[in-house]
């Protein structure tokens, strides 16, 4: 089913939109919404049962926006309930907890659940996604760093924000940019606005950075077989240097990946005759 566009598009007129929250249980979806709408934080975990619904009004440029927010439960138990609510959505707040790797790894499955519910004719291209890397106040438990999250989001053309519902950091900025992007989308005939970085790095660069991050040793980092010759190492290095050099590549994490590649090459060449 095609995600339908709100009917009234004339600048200055009021607009009605639907946004939903998505992400694993306990990542902080309800708290992010509460922090923005009610300016408060509740530390006790009160799991959302099925869906929580709320309406709020916001002003974006010269338009008054009536926002219908559907806050979804993340628990798999509520799969059937959630499936009723994906259609006709203009914006998704997609949340993970920076201290829970599982919740980050689950983001693809959340997109898949939405896509499946929208069916073969559903179009996710005309929906604005704001990825929230939440609970950044818990710095010592953090296991998904900013560049990893940003790389995932921006390589899909999604907005990315570091947030804390507890301290409020990043929350207003996230909602303001999110609503602005939705209004832009509505005024652009349903095309997702270009985020700066969505077009500024390639899939190959993003995939290479991810591959290097998950490499287990220097051979793996350069993408050569253990025992490779100096020539093979140098050739692989040159290819990666062209792809990831900070002057050429602006993908999140590219600087670190480039350093890792330089160090891996140095370490390998020391031991190859
Ligand atoms: P479901 O409704 O079950 O899908 O969970 P949810 O994603 O809505 O999580 P919720 O907002 O209820 O928050 C879960 C727990 O995390 C609660 O105990 C919150 O107090 C806590 N929490 C949420 N956001 C933050 C945050 O930014 N920092 C910290 N430290 N805790 C947070
Ligand atoms: Mg909730």
């Amino acid at each position: 089913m095609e995600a339908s566009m709100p009917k009234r598009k004339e600048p200055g007129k009021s607009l009605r939109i639907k946004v939903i929250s998505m992400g694993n249980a306990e990542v902080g979806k309800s708290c992010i919404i509460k922090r923005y709408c009610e300016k408060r934080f509740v530390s006790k975990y009160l799991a959302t049962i099925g869906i929580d619904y709320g309406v709020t009004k916001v002003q974006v440029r010269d338009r008054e926006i009536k926002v219908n927010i559907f806050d979804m439960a993340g628990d798999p138990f509520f799969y059937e309930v959630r499936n009723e609510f994906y259609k006709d959505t203009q914006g998704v707040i997609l949340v993970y907890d920076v201290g829970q790797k599982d919740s980050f790894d689950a983001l693809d499955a959340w997109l898949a659940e939405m896509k499946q519910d929208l069916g073969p004719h559903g179009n996710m291209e005309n929906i604005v996604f704001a990825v929230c890397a939440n609970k950044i106040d818990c710095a010592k438990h953090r296991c998904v760093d900013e560049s990893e999250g940003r790389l995932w989001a921006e390589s899909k053309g999604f907005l990315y924000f570091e947030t804390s519902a507890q301290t409020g950091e990043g929350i207003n900025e996230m909602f303001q940019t999110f609503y602005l992007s939705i209004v832009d989308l509505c005024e652009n005939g349903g095309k997702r606005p270009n985020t700066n970085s969505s077009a500024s790095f390639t899939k190959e660069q993003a995939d290479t950075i991810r591959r290097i991050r998950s490499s287990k040793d220097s051979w793996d980092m350069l993408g050569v077989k253990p025992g490779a010759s100096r020539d093979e190492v140098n050739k692989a290095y040159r290819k990666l240097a062209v792809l990831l050099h900070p002057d050429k590549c602006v993908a999140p994490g590219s600087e670190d990946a480039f350093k890792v590649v330089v160090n891996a090459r140095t370490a390998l060449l020391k031991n190859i005759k």
Side-chain angles (χ1 to χ4, degrees):
M1 194 181 310
E2 193 89 18
S4 69
M5 295 305 305
K7 290 210 168 69
R8 302 171 72 178
K9 290 183 191 169
E10 313 90 67
K13 292 280 169 58
S14 70
L15 186 72
R16 186 191 289 253
I17 61 170
K18 173 182 171 183
V19 306
I20 62 173
S21 69
M22 265 164 49
N24 278 10
E26 240 178 295
V27 293
K29 300 179 293 298
S30 302
C31 285
I32 286 174
I33 293 166
K34 197 167 273 155
R35 164 60 75 187
Y36 183 72
C37 296
E38 299 173 25
K39 312 278 175 263
R40 66 192 182 102
F41 175 72
V42 181
S43 59
K44 188 166 182 277
Y45 175 40
L46 298 163
T48 304
I49 307 298
I51 307 278
D52 268 348
Y53 169 70
V55 190
T56 181
K57 279 187 182 159
V58 290
Q59 188 76 25
V60 178
R61 293 196 292 257
D62 59 344
R63 299 190 84 142
E64 184 176 85
I65 316 293
K66 188 173 175 193
V67 187
N68 294 285
I69 303 184
F70 294 80
D71 178 25
M72 305 244 205
D75 194 293
F77 181 79
F78 296 108
Y79 171 73
E80 304 254 328
V81 184
R82 285 197 300 268
N83 275 348
E84 305 276 312
F85 290 90
Y86 284 121
K87 58 181 176 297
D88 302 333
T89 295
Q90 282 83 43
V92 175
I93 302 168
L94 185 55
V95 185
Y96 68 94
D97 172 349
V98 296
Q100 295 287 337
K101 183 76 163 61
D102 286 0
S103 70
F104 174 68
D105 293 338
L107 295 179
D108 283 310
W110 281 102
L111 294 182
E113 181 175 308
M114 181 173 195
K115 198 169 175 23
Q116 189 185 30
D117 182 62
L118 293 179
H121 304 299
N123 184 2
M124 310 246 297
E125 291 304 306
N126 58 12
I127 299 171
V128 175
F129 285 83
V131 176
C132 295
N134 193 40
K135 306 199 188 182
I136 55 166
D137 54 285
C138 304
K140 62 175 190 284
H141 299 294
R142 183 158 191 167
C143 58
V144 185
D145 67 23
E146 180 175 349
S147 60
E148 191 173 5
R150 198 176 272 286
L151 184 67
W152 185 88
E154 292 183 355
S155 56
K156 294 186 152 43
F158 297 172
L159 302 165
Y160 173 87
F161 300 91
E162 299 254 299
T163 60
S164 166
Q166 189 191 62
T167 66
E169 195 176 340
I171 302 287
N172 282 346
E173 187 203 345
M174 184 277 285
F175 275 101
Q176 279 161 11
T177 314
F178 180 55
Y179 289 142
L180 193 65
S181 301
I182 294 173
V183 171
D184 284 347
L185 174 136
C186 296
E187 289 173 355
N188 271 335
K191 270 211 201 127
R192 199 193 288 164
N194 262 348
T195 53
N196 286 341
S197 40
S198 63
S200 56
F201 59 89
T202 63
K203 183 174 182 308
E204 187 185 10
Q205 287 170 325
D207 289 347
T208 305
I209 293 166
R210 272 191 215 105
R211 186 189 62 68
I212 290 168
R213 279 173 163 277
S214 61
S215 298
K216 55 186 189 312
D217 57 30
S218 300
W219 303 108
D220 217 12
M221 280 163 200
L222 283 170
V224 294
K225 290 206 184 88
S229 67
R230 287 184 87 83
D231 271 0
E232 285 168 326
V233 167
N234 280 327
K235 202 170 155 203
Y237 167 78
R238 277 196 296 275
K239 197 171 161 213
L240 289 170
V242 168
L243 198 65
L244 299 177
H245 194 283
D247 289 349
K248 299 263 167 55
C249 180
V250 295
S254 59
E255 249 175 70
D256 284 345
F258 182 69
K259 278 186 209 150
V260 161
V261 166
V262 171
N263 291 341
R265 176 204 186 209
T266 310
L268 290 179
L269 290 184
K270 260 190 206 158
N271 297 315
I272 303 174
K273 297 235 170 67

